[in-house]
Amino acid sequence: SIASADMDLNQLEAFLTAQTKKQGGITSDQAAVIAKFWKNHRVKIHESLVSQSRWDKVLKSMNWRVDLKSQSRHVEQINTPVAIVEMELGKSGQ
């Protein structure tokens, strides 16, 4: 729960306090150890979860534009928007 929510220190403290108060929860010593571990390894854990949740390809860049044709020789006031999206995919880390 802590890692999936990427809790900050205030959220972590509130979560661990709730866990110590519920029946069958953790002890305050266990909460202190978990808090210390999370403070020291939060960035590594978050990066690991992100890398595990990605597929092989990642989005490297994206360009887009919307074209609007406002008049034609045969039909006036067409106002039909057309979106053009260009996405460049690449392997993670490249």
Side-chain angles (χ1 to χ4, degrees):
S1 295
I2 296 168
S4 64
D6 194 26
M7 293 183 185
D8 63 23
L9 297 180
N10 292 331
Q11 293 170 322
L12 176 67
E13 184 179 334
F15 177 77
L16 291 175
T17 300
Q19 294 301 311
T20 58
K21 291 181 178 179
K22 81 182 204 183
Q23 187 176 6
I26 60 176
T27 67
S28 57
D29 289 339
Q30 290 171 326
V33 169
I34 292 169
K36 183 176 180 181
F37 182 82
W38 181 246
K39 288 174 190 174
N40 291 331
H41 299 287
R42 177 182 179 187
V43 174
K44 291 178 193 174
I45 293 168
H46 179 72
E47 288 174 356
S48 175
L49 288 175
V50 168
S51 70
Q52 290 173 28
S53 66
R54 274 195 220 138
W55 290 321
D56 195 27
K57 302 278 184 180
V58 295
L59 182 63
K60 292 177 76 175
S61 68
M62 184 174 118
N63 297 308
W64 63 275
R65 75 174 198 235
V66 176
D67 293 340
L68 183 63
K69 192 173 195 179
S70 61
Q71 201 170 22
S72 174
R73 199 168 61 176
H74 302 292
V75 179
E76 288 188 26
Q77 300 298 327
I78 295 175
N79 290 329
T80 306
V82 175
I84 299 172
V85 179
E86 178 185 279
M87 295 184 281
E88 181 182 359
L89 300 176
K91 292 207 178 251
S92 182
Q94 292 183 341

